[in-house]
Amino acid sequence: MKKVLLLSAAVALLASSCVGGSSNTRTVLVDFQHEQFASSFLNYFPNRVSVHPGDTVVFRQTWSGEPHSVTMGTYADRYAKLLAPFFKLFAKGGYAALPQEEPKNIKAYEDKYLTNMFDENSNKPDQNGAQPCFLSRGVAPRNVNKPCSKANQKQPDFTGRQSYYNSGFIPYEGPSGDTYTVKVSSNAKPGTHFFYCNYHGPFMSGFLTIAPRSKKVPSQTTVSEAARKEIDKQAAPLLTAFRQATKGQFVVPQDSLDSVEQQGFVKTVNGKPIFDGWFAGLGVDNPNVEGTINEFIPKSLHAKVGQKLSWVMIGSHTISFNVPKYFPIMTVSKDGTVSRNPKLDTPAGGAPKPKEQSDSDQSPNIDDAGTWNGNGFWSTGVIDSNNFAVVSVRITKPGTYKFACLIHPPMVGTLVVTQ
């Protein structure tokens, strides 16, 4: 079975990469949707690719609900050099191994030369980072509300000498949705160039090497195989956790045991603390996995009218009922302005505002979202927690209800409520 999945995935990668039938095109995947569970991966697959001058790199995005960019240029290359010691820490221990406070020299460099897709303290896109920007030299506007000029939003071939080369938010809609294409200039200087996502930060990143024409570069088949190998490494612990959770065999991690037990979500089976409840999202305690499971587990639920329904939420999600058929997460207007749907974050239908936590608070975020009468759009809004959240609601009317996470489109379920 696994070999069949691997083969089919490799064939799909190959098919998607052969744009125009050119052998001079290489495809890099941005994020990934696993075949066996809804997911998001904060990675490029593979994270290293080599091409020749004149070749094309297609960044093929899987829309998981997570916004992404491909941000490059000489400022990005210098950024990577500053971050080199932190990349080593990250490779060994993930985010937990990094300094708790961002080093001042890194922060100063970011503020002076780079842009972000979103404001640090809000969910509002920064237009100087969310919109495309291609500069031969100099920096993008420092005013977050001012994008690059229309002339500087027209994408040139990549030479490796541009100071800033930023895709901005990669749209998931439209004729070129989920695709960002970089044509490498025929006179591009050989060398290795850093690219990263200016929403998820420099640890969602990779390297593009422009090799001399005299040097052979890996074929798309080899690139696809490398991508799949990286995907499987990231996905293996998540797949194990998903299978355990769906079978009611998920063992609560020791560092979360006290908190989960206090909320009444633990049962002992054969001497092991097993999670006893409903999941809204799931991850693993593995510093080398930059991926999450975007599933309600179980997907099909039954409850009584007025019963307290509680989900343990891991990650940033919503619990939303009667979601409109079309609910865009991000939009790009005709003038290029990038917007995040305000209805995404805001509670609806009478749900209270979620509790906020300080950055240092590692306790569970306990949110009682009150009651819902089964009519109209209802949503908790986006709930975040430094550890995990427990989200509860009571439904006062019998019926069959579809529910979803507004951030992650494949994350859906069905609830049957009876008297």
Side-chain angles (χ1 to χ4, degrees), residues 43-172:
N43 293 94
Y44 302 91
F45 299 110
N47 62 14
R48 291 181 179 271
V49 63
S50 296
V51 296
H52 290 133
D55 287 354
T56 298
V57 183
V58 176
F59 289 89
R60 184 84 68 200
Q61 176 180 261
T62 295
W63 179 245
S64 67
E66 296 286 340
H68 299 299
S69 80
V70 177
T71 304
M72 309 167 68
T74 57
Y75 290 138
D77 292 340
R78 294 173 195 167
Y79 189 37
K81 291 180 180 178
L82 287 174
L83 290 166
F86 302 103
F87 287 141
K88 292 179 180 179
L89 293 175
F90 185 77
K92 292 180 179 179
Y95 285 101
L98 300 176
Q100 290 188 351
E101 292 188 10
E102 186 176 31
K104 290 182 179 179
N105 67 319
I106 301 293
K107 183 69 168 64
Y109 187 87
E110 292 169 344
D111 291 343
K112 186 174 182 179
Y113 297 109
L114 306 176
T115 60
N116 297 316
M117 191 184 296
F118 280 88
D119 182 86
E120 290 181 354
N121 301 312
S122 73
N123 288 317
K124 183 180 179 182
D126 289 350
Q127 299 305 316
N128 65 340
Q131 294 193 43
C133 185
F134 306 100
L135 302 173
S136 58
R137 59 182 177 178
V139 298
R142 297 294 87 195
N143 184 339
V144 298
N145 297 314
K146 183 181 180 181
C148 281
S149 67
K150 292 302 178 184
N152 287 329
Q153 290 193 25
K154 185 177 180 181
Q155 184 181 1
D157 291 353
F158 181 70
T159 64
R161 294 182 285 271
Q162 288 105 340
S163 63
Y164 208 53
Y165 198 93
N166 177 32
S167 70
F169 166 65
I170 302 174
Y172 55 90

Side-chain angles (χ1 to χ4, degrees), residues 258-309:
D258 288 345
S259 297
V260 177
E261 200 165 33
Q262 287 174 17
Q263 300 304 318
F265 294 111
V266 176
K267 62 181 178 181
T268 301
V269 178
N270 297 326
K272 296 180 180 180
I274 301 298
F275 179 83
D276 185 22
W278 299 347
F279 283 110
L282 184 60
V284 294
D285 186 19
N286 186 321
N288 299 119
V289 174
E290 288 303 307
T292 58
I293 298 167
N294 298 329
E295 295 268 7
F296 289 107
I297 305 173
K299 283 186 177 182
S300 298
L301 304 170
H302 290 79
K304 296 292 185 181
V305 167
Q307 178 183 340
K308 185 179 181 180
L309 313 177

